[in-house]
Amino acid sequence: MCGEAAIDRLPLDLLAYILSLVTSFTDLAQASGVCKKWRKAVNESMARRETLSFAGWKMDDDSTSRLVHLAYNLKELDISRSRWGCHITDNGLYQIASARCVANLSSISLWGMTAITDSGVVQLVSRTSSLQHLNIGGTFITDESLLAIAERCHHLKTISMWCCRHVTERGLLVLVNKCRKLESINLWGTRVPVDCFIALLTISPALQIKPIQLLLNAQNPPPLLHAV
């Protein structure tokens, strides 16, 4: 049972607010084990959060999805992989996809999640109708994911596919053609031909493509200066 310390006399709403300022998931887990009141306060503190970042934390599928399910008001989700390892698989994406907050997410980062495949990404984006910013760089996704994103994410503004070497011109053309609000696309390290970049700009002339300037410079090198 909780003791009679001053903090234990705090109203639940105030305790939840204080815990919402805690950034350590380890500390939150420990706080949740203090007593029933604190566990409820931790759950309420998660429900208040609009952003969650697991980058740098040792998280697995179950622990990550459990917290996302508690974050009813979540708008931005970052489960990028770091050196210490947030290791998420397709199973984790399946679980996250069923969370109540997913339909309202405006930003998702799956950067470096090498254990995920098209199957998990397709399942997740099937419910992200409000998505505006997506980072799937450093993954092994293919056109299958791009086609699903094109079908569901009509509000998409930016997408990063840094070093996604398995996407092709076909998937990119469908994506840009259907996501008419798309403003920026990062294709560094992909294997798409130069003609694809030209085709994307033909569909959306204002589209910002990260490597396009370098490619155009390579095609049109500046004239050599002749010595007088």
Side-chain angles (χ1 to χ4, degrees):
M1 295 181 62
C2 292
E4 295 297 322
I7 193 171
D8 294 323
R9 295 194 293 271
L10 288 176
L12 185 63
D13 285 349
L14 182 54
L15 183 58
Y17 170 75
I18 294 172
L19 291 173
S20 70
L21 303 177
V22 177
T23 58
S24 168
F25 297 114
T26 301
D27 291 344
L28 287 174
Q30 293 175 344
S32 184
V34 171
C35 64
K36 289 183 179 179
K37 178 181 178 181
W38 279 55
R39 184 179 304 114
K40 187 174 182 180
V42 169
N43 290 348
E44 288 195 13
S45 75
M46 293 301 301
R48 295 169 182 254
R49 294 173 187 253
E50 294 190 354
T51 63
L52 270 182
S53 176
F54 299 108
W57 292 95
K58 288 186 177 181
M59 306 291 291
D60 58 18
D61 290 335
D62 292 337
S63 58
T64 301
S65 63
R66 191 180 308 117
L67 292 174
V68 173
H69 273 265
L70 292 173
Y72 302 137
N73 294 304
L74 196 63
K75 297 293 190 299
E76 300 178 6
L77 176 61
D78 181 359
I79 49 179
S80 303
R81 184 174 182 174
S82 69
R83 182 174 59 183
W84 294 277
C86 177
H87 298 289
I88 303 299
T89 68
D90 284 341
N91 184 52
L93 295 187
Y94 298 152
Q95 296 179 52
I96 291 172
S98 65
R100 194 163 76 181
C101 65
V102 170
N104 297 319
L105 287 176
S106 62
S107 176
I108 298 176
S109 177
L110 302 174
W111 186 88
M113 291 284 103
T114 55
I116 65 174
T117 69
D118 288 321
S119 178
V121 174
V122 169
Q123 181 68 22
L124 180 61
V125 301
S126 68
R127 296 196 56 234
T128 55
S129 56
S130 300
L131 195 63
Q132 297 181 27
H133 308 284
L134 177 62
N135 186 344
I136 46 177
T139 66
F140 298 113
I141 59 118
T142 70
D143 287 348
E144 183 179 350
S145 290
L146 297 190
L147 297 180
I149 294 167
E151 287 297 326
R152 293 297 300 168
C153 305
H154 296 155
H155 299 287
L156 195 66
K157 293 182 178 180
T158 67
I159 183 169
S160 176
M161 288 178 278
W162 180 86
C163 279
C164 290
R165 297 178 180 271
H166 301 290
V167 298
T168 70
E169 180 177 1
R170 171 176 169 266
L172 291 172
L173 289 174
V174 172
L175 177 72
V176 173
N177 202 29
K178 290 198 173 186
C179 296
R180 305 304 293 186
K181 295 183 179 180
L182 194 62
E183 300 172 356
S184 174
I185 186 169
N186 186 337
L187 297 173
W188 279 104
T190 59
R191 295 173 175 171
V192 293
V194 173
D195 289 347
C196 175
F197 295 93
I198 306 303
L200 295 179
L201 290 176
T202 300
I203 297 172
S204 179
L207 183 65
Q208 297 180 9
I209 306 177
K210 278 287 183 77
I212 191 64
Q213 192 58 49
L214 293 177
L215 289 171
L216 292 178
N217 287 344
Q219 286 186 302
N220 304 287
L224 295 175
L225 296 177
H226 296 284
V228 178

